[in-house]
Amino acid sequence: MIPFACSTKSLGESRLALVTTGGVHPPGQPRFDIDDPAGDCSYREIPTSARELTWTHAYHRPDEGSDLDSVFPLWTLRELASEGLIGGLNPRHFSFMGAIHDTQPLSERTAPEVAARLVEDGADAVLLTPS
């Protein structure tokens, strides 16, 4: 896989995956460890079919109307796919926690695992959304 390679497919023909550092996860999955001083280098798989999501992050304020779709635009991408503006969505997406101070486990283990899964799935493009 070549980083930042230009695709030969149009967006309307491409399978798109989401990867975020927003700490997004389904409610039944473990929360990210925001108290780890080195940062939590784990990731969560999020199925495209997910209907309910939450996030473990300092800026998550559900009582103040925080908009999860602005961090992890799964609902917007579903609409774009149904309108034919993108070819489709990958069956799964991935979420990391932001503020990782010791990035070695991320660069040596978890990021390559996620990249391999995206290749395995046949994702044509990845939309990265930072926290």
Side-chain angles (χ1 to χ4, degrees):
M1 184 154 135
I2 301 169
F4 307 106
C6 292
S7 177
T8 58
K9 291 184 176 181
S10 72
L11 201 52
E13 300 171 315
S14 296
R15 176 188 283 188
L16 186 70
L18 281 168
V19 175
T20 188
T21 58
V24 177
H25 57 90
Q29 291 181 351
R31 296 172 50 86
F32 286 92
D33 184 358
I34 60 175
D35 296 322
D36 184 336
D40 184 345
C41 290
S42 66
Y43 61 89
R44 307 293 183 269
E45 284 191 23
I46 301 169
T48 291
S49 61
R51 296 289 172 217
E52 190 177 339
L53 295 172
T54 189
W55 43 5
T56 305
H57 214 291
Y59 59 76
H60 176 42
R61 304 270 191 259
D63 55 323
E64 296 176 12
S66 294
D67 181 11
L68 180 60
D69 200 52
S70 67
V71 173
F72 193 75
L74 183 57
W75 294 268
T76 298
L77 291 177
R78 284 181 186 143
E79 288 178 32
L80 294 175
S82 71
E83 295 171 8
L85 296 172
I86 59 174
L89 292 176
N90 202 51
R92 58 185 170 178
H93 310 279
F94 297 90
S95 178
F96 292 91
M97 185 66 204
I100 297 173
H101 303 289
D102 178 5
T103 60
Q104 186 174 358
L106 177 72
S107 63
E108 291 181 357
R109 185 177 43 88
T110 53
E113 284 176 17
V114 167
R117 290 176 185 204
L118 291 166
V119 169
E120 175 185 304
D121 289 348
D124 297 306
V126 177
L127 176 61
L128 303 172
T129 60
S131 57

